[in-house]
Amino acid sequence: MKLFSGIQPSGTLHLGNYLGAVKNWIKLQEEHESIISIVNYHALSSDFSASLLPKQTIEMATDLIACGIDPQKSIFFVQSDVPEHTELTWILSCFVSLGELKRMTQFKEKSQENKKNVKAGLLYYPVLMAADILLYQTQIVPVGEDQLQHIELARMIARNFNKKIGKTFIEPRGVLTKAPRLMSLKNPQEKMSKSKGENTYIALNDSLETIEKKLGSAITDPARKKISDPGTSQKCNIYHLHQFFSTLKEREEIEQGCRRAKIGCLSCKKALAQNIFAELKPIQEKRKKIAENPEKIKKILQKGAKKAQQIAQKNMKEIKEKVGLLF
Ligand code: TYM
C-alpha cells in the first residue's frame, strides 16, 4: 500500500512524535511504499524563525534517520523541494468550503493564541496537508490522533473533487499506534507538545539525568486520593508510559507495588527513566555519527525530492488535465 506522512521541522523530536508516529513509520516502511516528508511549508503557519528553519530542517532529517527512517526504503524529502505540493493546494482549496476549514479543531485552538492576527496560512494548513497526501495517491497515513480530523478533511476534499471532476483521488485512511495521544508530563489533560515548555515533554536527545529530572517533576495520577484506590496505576500518566518501555513483568510489579503502597512514585519514575533511556541511547549514538556529515544528509534529501517529484509531476499533469488547466 502507499503510505505518506509528514512532520514539521520544529527542532526537537519528542516522545509523542516518536510513539505516535515515527516508530510506526519505521515499522511500516518494511512492508509499504513509504513517502516521508519534513513539512517546512507547514512550519511557516506558526511562529517560526527564518534564520533557524534551515538548521531545524537538517536536524529533523538527522533525528529521523537516527530513529530508523531508511532512505533506501522510504522516499524521504523536504516538502518545499517539491513545488507540486503548493500547486495542488490551490486547486484543492476550490473543493472545500470556508466553513469546513473554520471548523477544524487545530485552527480554532491556534487562532485563539493570537486573536488579532489570525494568519490565512493557519486556515489553509489542512488543505496543504490534503495536497501532501492526495498528490501521491496515498492509501494510509500513519499519524497521532490530533491529525485524524485533517485526514477526514482530506477524504472529504477527495470526495468533492471526484464527484465534480470524475474519479481521480483515493480516499486515504489514518493509521494510529497504541500511543495515539501521549499526554504532557505537567498536565495529563493536555497532549505532549513542544510548545508548552521543556519540562512538559521528553526529547529524543535527552540524557538520562534530564529524563530523570523531567519525570521527577511530572504529575502522577491527578485524581488519586489514596494509593490503594483500585485502578490508580491505570489512570496514571507515568504508568501509561511504562506500557511502552517496560516489560510485562516490570509493569505487573509496578502495578502491584503501587496498589499496595510497596513502591513509591519516585522508584516507579526512576525505573521508567532507565527504560526510556535504554531505548533512546542507541538512537542518540547513531545520531551523533550521522550529524558529523550534514552534507550527506542534504544529498539524501535531494535524492528523495527527485524521486518524490517524479511521482508528483506525473500525477499533477493528470490532475491539471482533468480540471481543464491544460489546453
Ligand atoms: P507534527 O509535526 O505536529 O507531528 C508529527 C507527528 O507526531 C504526532 N504527534 C503525537 N502523537 C501522539 N501523541 C502526541 N502527544 C503527539 N504529538 C504529535 C502527530 O500526530 C504527527 O503524526 N500536520 C502534521 C504534519 C503533516 C502531515 C501531512 C502528516 C503535514 N502534512 C500529511 C500526515 C500527512 C503535523 O503538524 O504533525
Side-chain angles (χ1 to χ4, degrees):
M1 279 215 259
K2 273 216 162 168
L3 174 161
F4 183 99
S5 201
I7 187 161
Q8 295 195 49
S10 54
T12 319
L13 207 55
H14 58 68
L15 276 192
N17 301 132
Y18 179 65
L19 292 179
V22 177
K23 211 175 162 182
N24 211 14
W25 302 347
I26 287 139
K27 191 179 108 204
L28 295 171
Q29 72 181 348
E30 300 297 332
E31 44 191 293
H32 298 285
E33 225 178 297
S34 293
I35 308 180
I36 302 293
S37 182
I38 300 176
V39 291
N40 54 349
Y41 274 139
H42 278 99
L44 304 191
S45 70
S46 49
D47 210 13
F48 75 102
S49 153
S51 59
L52 278 181
L53 197 54
K55 185 170 171 271
Q56 289 173 325
T57 305
I58 293 296
E59 281 187 350
M60 183 52 76
T62 313
D63 277 337
L64 293 176
I65 295 171
C67 284
I69 291 294
D70 181 348
Q72 308 292 335
K73 293 177 182 159
S74 294
I75 297 181
F76 182 46
F77 74 105
V78 176
Q79 189 184 35
S80 66
D81 280 344
V82 182
E84 283 75 10
H85 286 246
T86 40
E87 197 180 359
L88 182 58
T89 301
W90 174 255
I91 296 178
L92 297 185
S93 76
C94 300
F95 290 85
V96 60
S97 73
L98 185 58
E100 293 291 350
L101 295 182
K102 282 187 170 168
R103 218 174 42 79
M104 292 292 108
T105 307
Q106 188 173 300
F107 172 73
K108 284 197 270 188
E109 280 172 9
K110 291 215 167 159
S111 53
Q112 286 302 309
E113 288 167 16
N114 192 356
K115 277 190 202 164
K116 286 199 180 133
N117 187 13
V118 179
K119 301 268 191 316
L122 209 54
L123 185 76
Y124 258 50
Y125 180 112
V127 189
L128 177 58
M129 187 164 155
D132 295 341
I133 299 168
L134 301 182
L135 183 57
Y136 298 96
Q137 297 292 15
T138 304
Q139 288 156 296
I140 51 172
V141 190
V143 285
E145 196 180 65
D146 62 331
Q147 298 302 320
L148 280 185
Q149 197 185 34
H150 291 157
I151 296 172
E152 218 29 70
L153 189 86
R155 288 169 65 89
M156 197 195 81
I157 294 177
R159 265 198 307 275
N160 291 347
F161 189 102
N162 290 347
K163 201 165 156 205
K164 184 171 160 85
I165 304 294
K167 179 92 181 98
T168 307
F169 294 119
I170 290 170
E171 282 186 41
R173 162 170 81 76
V175 175
L176 297 179
T177 68
K178 285 192 176 136
R181 191 177 174 82
L182 224 61
M183 304 317 268
S184 152
L185 298 178
K186 288 289 186 191
N187 180 1
Q189 321 296 328
E190 215 170 61
K191 79 166 180 176
M192 184 178 281
S193 117
K194 226 202 96 187
S195 59
K196 298 284 159 80
E198 277 196 4
N199 285 329
T200 64
Y201 64 87
I202 290 172
L204 253 66
N205 288 319
D206 280 346
S207 65
L208 176 60
E209 293 70 36
T210 307
I211 299 173
E212 279 178 346
K213 213 169 117 210
K214 286 182 178 177
L215 288 181
S217 66
I219 309 280
T220 47
D221 178 14
R224 188 170 78 186
K225 302 212 170 50
K226 275 193 285 160
I227 201 154
S228 54
D229 278 356
T232 283
S233 48
Q234 272 84 356
K235 281 184 261 145
C236 174
N237 203 12
I238 298 294
Y239 184 75
H240 184 241
L241 280 171
H242 268 290
Q243 310 279 330
F244 308 106
F245 297 99
S246 307
T247 61
L248 185 63
K249 188 166 170 276
E250 283 171 321
R251 280 186 273 139
E252 275 169 7
E253 279 166 16
I254 284 162
E255 209 208 333
Q256 298 281 327
C258 176
R259 196 178 300 161
R260 295 186 188 140
K262 280 194 176 146
I263 64 159
C265 288
L266 218 67
S267 354
C268 173
K269 286 174 169 180
K270 234 185 155 78
L272 176 63
Q274 264 158 11
N275 290 350
I276 292 178
F277 188 66
E279 177 149 351
L280 299 190
K281 194 170 169 233
I283 298 175
Q284 293 179 4
E285 281 168 358
K286 191 171 164 200
R287 191 192 194 283
K288 243 189 231 156
K289 273 197 205 135
I290 303 166
E292 282 166 12
N293 197 347
E295 285 310 310
K296 193 173 166 195
I297 293 170
K298 280 187 199 169
K299 282 213 180 98
I300 288 174
L301 293 171
Q302 281 161 6
K303 237 174 143 181
K306 255 194 187 163
K307 285 191 211 162
Q309 197 167 25
Q310 265 176 9
I311 307 171
Q313 277 176 341
K314 182 178 159 282
N315 289 346
M316 203 57 214
K317 186 167 176 273
E318 198 185 315
I319 295 161
K320 283 168 92 171
E321 213 158 38
K322 285 200 166 164
V323 177
L325 292 167
L326 299 185
F327 52 91

